[in-house]
Amino acid sequence: MTTDRSGLLVAATAAYSRGSRVHASPLTHAPARPDLGLTPWNPLCASTTTIHRAGPDVAVDCGTCLAVMRRRNLTLNTT
């Protein structure tokens, strides 16, 4: 079981007019919404779409996020 902490990289969904995309995003305290607690904010691809944390078995399918994860040697559920 992974304990939520700031900086933890999680899968996060974003809805678009043509479907949805799963991004990789670190958990953080949203600057304008501290009441949300830790939430995915500022995905690795710099998408500006509102995102929500996805389930633990959801795979990232955003090409830019995947490229950044490979380049930086990052995996989900790590800091």
Side-chain angles (χ1 to χ4, degrees):
M1 174 99 180
T2 304
T3 304
D4 285 352
R5 61 190 178 283
S6 186
L8 183 70
L9 192 64
V10 297
T13 58
Y16 299 98
S17 59
R18 295 184 182 169
S20 66
R21 185 65 73 188
V22 179
H23 298 279
S25 178
L27 290 178
T28 187
H29 291 280
R33 294 292 309 269
D35 57 308
L36 295 176
L38 286 172
T39 186
W41 202 263
N42 297 328
L44 298 179
C45 67
S47 171
T48 58
T49 304
T50 302
I51 60 176
H52 306 281
R53 189 169 182 177
D57 298 328
V58 177
V60 173
D61 64 5
C62 170
T64 305
C65 286
L66 287 169
V68 171
M69 288 174 67
R70 277 192 292 271
R71 189 171 50 245
R72 296 182 186 172
N73 198 26
L74 300 172
T75 57
L76 293 180
N77 299 314
T78 61
T79 51

